[in-house]
Amino acid sequence: MGMSRATATAVLCCALLAGCGSGGDGPPPDADGRGKGSGAPSTAPGPTGPTVLLSVPPAYAPDQGWQQPLAWMPTKYSSKPPVAVGARSDVVAYVTVTEDGYTAQVRQASTGQTLFTGKPWQPPIPMSEAGKSAYDGDRAELPSVSTAYQDGREYVVLWAHGMTGGDALTEAKEIVRLAVYPADASGNAVAPLREIDVPVRTYGPNKGSQDDDLQVEDLGGGLQVRWNGPPLTGNNAHAAVAVDLASGTLEVCADACAKGIGRVRTGKGWIVTEFVPKGFGVSGAWSALTAPPPGTAPDRHSQDGLFQSASNGHVLSRWHGSDGDALRYPVTALHDASTGRLAASMPCELTPSGVVTSANGRFIADGTVAFDIQRAHGTCLGAGADRKADVRVKAVNDDGTAYGEVSGANGGATAEVDLASGTGAPKLLPPGTVVPRWALKDTAVFLTPAASGGGLLISTLKKN
């Protein structure tokens, strides 16, 4: 999706060559991204035991687990990798293709057993094919997959961005289309519980920024669709919609976001970052400024208490110090997303790389900061007097071992750190060690380029 016809043709030729004899994931879709053919479900073989042995942290066995190539993927794409995990159900979900379209496939992380494969699915018309020139280029906007937890049930959501409807007289509508499956579904060619079209109005394709990218994810209050562009109501620069996956209804951050940016939908309302006043909170319920972290002075600065990220019922924020330096945010705080209560804080300049949590919910991290929620204790992994480079956390397992990448390191250095009981000092891993993208209960999921022919390799490896 989201690429010119010439680029799409080149991508498909490469995917066809890569798929021949590879035991991959089926033939790719048509150049318009919508597929064609008999509609037969994929007959691709199941995942194999690891045949590509990665250099991984010592807690994981490189030869125990399973691997799944996604040979259909182009080398360049503007979306996030079309892979997601469901920590509560212990599943790995990813996007495959058949002759008739895209499918969601879900496997048990611990065994690699296929739980279900969705029916071939038709995404909306790609943005570039609908004449949206901003989306022309060599980076494909791919269908993707997310997971979300709502009312005690975990869901897998296959989604894609594009245009629907329209003719010579009627303007087509820009949407994000969602195909919703329960994570505990079973069988082949499984129909989604429902399809939901979420109206959006984006300014352009993803550029790798948390605030600029189109996001379809669960930040701790159920599935949300966020984009940088005009909202469905009002004139703000950002917009957000909460999606009820059980009913298919949408809740737009309307009145609550009249004066700011809607961040997370909670049971008490939207957490909003206001444009003019500083801080963030839920209107009529709480404000982060009522309980600022120690070592800060929000009354001295025009902008303070900046919302950074959220996950699993908690919010991370950045604050000015009390020394009057208005150019730095040397304090990071952790809040309860329902009440705004200050759960923990520490002196540390947050350099973000995406929020992650452990499968059991005890640990949360974003870039250079990490918190043990149970102990209300923070670990700072930023560069300083004793460390010449940042370590940016990519995954945390249930025992508190965090894995990260060393910023600016030649050769891609990686490190691990004990968040639960250690000193918080990172330990370099052997050169060439790949760190997980997600850590689950008994496994970790690693994403690496396929060995040959392009595409992506999913490696789900067991703990030693």
Side-chain angles (χ1 to χ4, degrees), residues 63 81 100 112 150 185 220 251 259 277 279 284 289 319 322 329-330 345-346 417-418 424 433:
D63 58 349
D100 202 38
Q150 177 184 320
E251 180 183 329
K259 297 180 180 179
L289 295 175
W319 299 75
S322 58
Y329 292 87
S345 66
M346 64 175 165
V417 58
D418 182 357
T433 300

Side-chain angles (χ1 to χ4, degrees), residues 3 14 24 89 122 135 244 305 310 360 394 459-460:
M3 51 183 159
C14 292
S89 303
Q122 302 298 325
Y135 287 83
D244 188 318
N360 61 7
K394 298 300 179 183
S459 302
T460 302

Side-chain angles (χ1 to χ4, degrees), residues 20 57 73 90 166 198 205 218 267 293 300 331 348 373 386 420 440:
C20 291
M73 290 179 58
D90 192 42
V198 180
D218 184 349
R300 297 184 183 180
V331 176
C348 189
I373 298 171
D386 300 323
L440 296 172

Side-chain angles (χ1 to χ4, degrees), residues 382-420:
D386 300 323
R387 189 179 304 132
K388 67 180 183 179
D390 292 343
V391 175
R392 301 181 186 180
V393 177
K394 298 300 179 183
V396 188
N397 70 24
D398 283 351
D399 68 9
T401 303
Y403 299 100
E405 297 176 350
V406 179
S407 63
N410 293 328
T414 55
E416 68 178 30
V417 58
D418 182 357
L419 302 179

Side-chain angles (χ1 to χ4, degrees), residues 55 185 242 254 285 304 308 382 389 398 440 461-462:
S55 296
D304 209 352
Q308 175 57 43
D398 283 351
L440 296 172
L461 305 180
K462 295 182 179 180

Side-chain angles (χ1 to χ4, degrees), residues 309 316 346 348 350-358 363-371 378-382 387 389-397 400-407 413-419 424 426 435-439:
S309 52
L316 290 166
M346 64 175 165
C348 189
L350 189 156
T351 301
S353 64
V355 64
V356 297
T357 59
S358 59
F363 302 94
I364 184 171
D366 188 349
T368 54
V369 302
F371 287 96
T379 299
C380 183
L381 298 170
R387 189 179 304 132
D390 292 343
V391 175
R392 301 181 186 180
V393 177
K394 298 300 179 183
V396 188
N397 70 24
T401 303
Y403 299 100
E405 297 176 350
V406 179
S407 63
T414 55
E416 68 178 30
V417 58
D418 182 357
L419 302 179
V435 295
R437 177 65 69 96
W438 298 280

